[in-house]
Amino acid sequence: MAFYDRMFDALGLRDWCESSGGGANLSMADLLAQANAENVDNGPTFPFPSLDALNEACPAIPQSRDFVSAVEDGFLAIKDGLKLVLDPLTQPLSWMLEWALLAVDAVPWWIMLPALFVLTWYVSRSAIVTGFVIFVFCFLGFIDHLEPAMQTLSIVLVCTGLCILLGVPIGIAMAKSDSFQRMILPVLDLLQTLPTFVYLIPLIFLFSVTEPKLYGIAIIVYAIVPVIRLTDLGIRLVDKDVVEAANAFGMSPRQKLWGVELPLALPNIMAGVNQTIMMSLAMVVIASLVSAPGLGVLVLRGIRNLELGVGLIAGLGIVLLAIVLDRVSKAALARVAAAQKH
């Protein structure tokens, strides 16, 4: 006799339960009990009135497994329509990632590394930061981790570039419209709190694991939040007196945005870009589960095959890459801040 039998009897629902029931799936507790029949767990004395507990007393009430199946069936029902819309929209992302990875394979190291060092100097104008970048990439090359490191870096740069391209306009729109901000903020909260592995689940159903956009979308969706939030914040923090002065000079909204608000908000936007870079790097490692190349593959190999050295060295490479990206982006941010003071 189930715990809640008497409750349904007292409510006069027994006929409904019996007429609508039958053919119910086994609950997880039932499956475990069948698998381990000798050690049957009778459960707590006063079970929580969950779907499974109520289903034992009234088969008309669906089980938890039915609820999960309904979510899955709902997604599968709209999958073809989603794929039809998303496939052409996201194909350029696949092309960009493929080209970036092909460039890593095709360009020899004696061209790629000097170009990277010159770019670092141009962005940071710091001998210390440039020297550190030279040391890190020479070290990674010395231990034969240069190619996966460059693959990781190329994916991060492509995805970060798209995050900036999409995130800055959204942040500007949020700063200009309170109602749009109220509409977008819950979405950003959801993206920021959703567990990282969950991003990959619907994408696996939509795209093939051989398509780079599978991991590209996951990285962009996960990493785009900081650049949106800090663009919105930066523009909202622009001194109101400066904005009023711009209005007094008769500047149009577009002139005010490009000539006053964006330059003054640039330090905050750059801080958002820095966070986006770090989050892209973190997601690249997780996305190695769905065929993203780079250092994450070596970490995954270390875990799967219990190869301690492979996993730790690849992890050290990721840490060094994170420090490089952080120091270079912060040096660029410091340059922007110093230029604004003058």
Side-chain angles (χ1 to χ4, degrees):
M1 181 176 178
F3 185 85
Y4 289 102
D5 274 351
R6 290 179 181 172
M7 182 186 78
F8 286 103
D9 291 340
L11 293 173
L13 297 174
R14 178 52 53 196
D15 291 341
W16 172 72
C17 289
E18 298 299 336
S19 63
S20 305
N25 295 323
L26 292 176
S27 68
M28 188 58 69
D30 294 333
L31 292 171
L32 290 173
Q34 282 187 358
N36 192 13
E38 295 180 357
N39 300 315
V40 177
D41 184 6
N42 293 323
T45 307
F46 180 27
F48 188 84
S50 64
L51 287 175
D52 283 347
L54 294 174
N55 176 268
E56 288 178 6
C58 178
I61 295 178
Q63 295 176 309
S64 300
R65 293 175 66 196
D66 297 324
F67 177 71
V68 174
S69 297
V71 173
E72 183 177 328
D73 293 342
F75 180 79
L76 292 177
I78 62 171
K79 187 189 82 168
D80 291 339
L82 269 178
K83 187 173 172 58
L84 193 66
V85 174
L86 290 178
D87 240 348
L89 287 176
T90 55
Q91 190 55 41
L93 174 62
S94 269
W95 292 334
M96 282 189 275
L97 288 168
E98 284 172 353
W99 292 338
L101 293 172
L102 281 174
V104 169
D105 290 337
V107 180
W109 67 268
W110 43 270
I111 294 177
M112 185 178 298
L113 287 187
L116 182 66
F117 300 152
V118 170
L119 180 65
T120 302
W121 169 255
Y122 178 77
V123 171
S124 66
R125 298 294 170 87
S126 166
I128 295 175
V129 172
T130 307
F132 180 69
V133 172
I134 293 171
F135 166 76
V136 166
F137 280 93
C138 289
F139 172 71
L140 290 173
F142 185 68
I143 60 173
D144 285 325
H145 280 57
L146 183 60
E147 185 179 345
M150 293 305 295
Q151 288 174 338
T152 301
L153 184 64
S154 62
I155 294 171
V156 168
L157 292 180
V158 169
C159 292
T160 302
L162 288 173
C163 285
I164 296 169
L165 203 62
L166 299 171
V168 170
I170 296 174
I172 292 171
M174 286 174 65
K176 297 295 180 184
S177 169
D178 290 339
S179 57
F180 185 66
Q181 188 197 43
R182 282 195 294 273
M183 190 172 65
I184 294 294
L185 278 179
V187 179
L188 298 182
D189 293 339
L190 173 72
L191 294 178
Q192 213 158 19
T193 52
L194 205 63
T196 49
F197 288 101
V198 178
Y199 285 94
L200 301 174
I201 296 173
L203 295 173
I204 291 170
F205 281 88
L206 286 173
F207 305 113
S208 164
V209 290
T210 58
E211 295 179 288
K213 59 185 167 188
L214 170 59
Y215 57 83
I217 295 172
I219 294 168
I220 290 172
V221 170
Y222 178 69
I224 198 172
V225 178
V227 74
I228 295 176
R229 283 192 189 278
L230 288 172
T231 301
D232 172 37
L233 180 68
I235 293 178
R236 286 178 181 272
L237 288 179
V238 171
D239 194 335
K240 301 297 179 191
D241 293 337
V242 177
V243 176
E244 286 181 12
N247 290 332
F249 277 107
M251 297 177 79
S252 66
R254 179 175 294 182
Q255 289 173 325
K256 193 168 59 179
L257 175 67
W258 287 100
V260 177
E261 291 172 323
L262 280 180
L264 291 176
L266 202 52
N268 280 308
I269 297 172
M270 288 295 292
V273 171
N274 175 273
Q275 290 300 309
T276 293
I277 291 171
M278 293 297 107
M279 292 178 71
S280 296
L281 182 59
M283 196 63 188
V284 167
V285 178
I286 294 171
S288 62
L289 290 168
V290 287
S291 76
L295 290 167
V297 175
L298 297 176
V299 173
L300 194 63
R301 177 183 145 192
I303 295 171
R304 190 175 53 229
N305 300 340
L306 295 179
E307 296 180 78
L308 178 66
V310 172
L312 289 181
I313 293 298
L316 174 65
I318 291 167
V319 170
L320 290 173
L321 212 53
I323 295 172
V324 163
L325 291 169
D326 181 66
R327 296 298 181 271
V328 172
S329 58
K330 282 184 176 172
L333 176 61
R335 280 190 60 209
V336 170
Q340 285 189 338
K341 287 181 181 176
H342 295 292

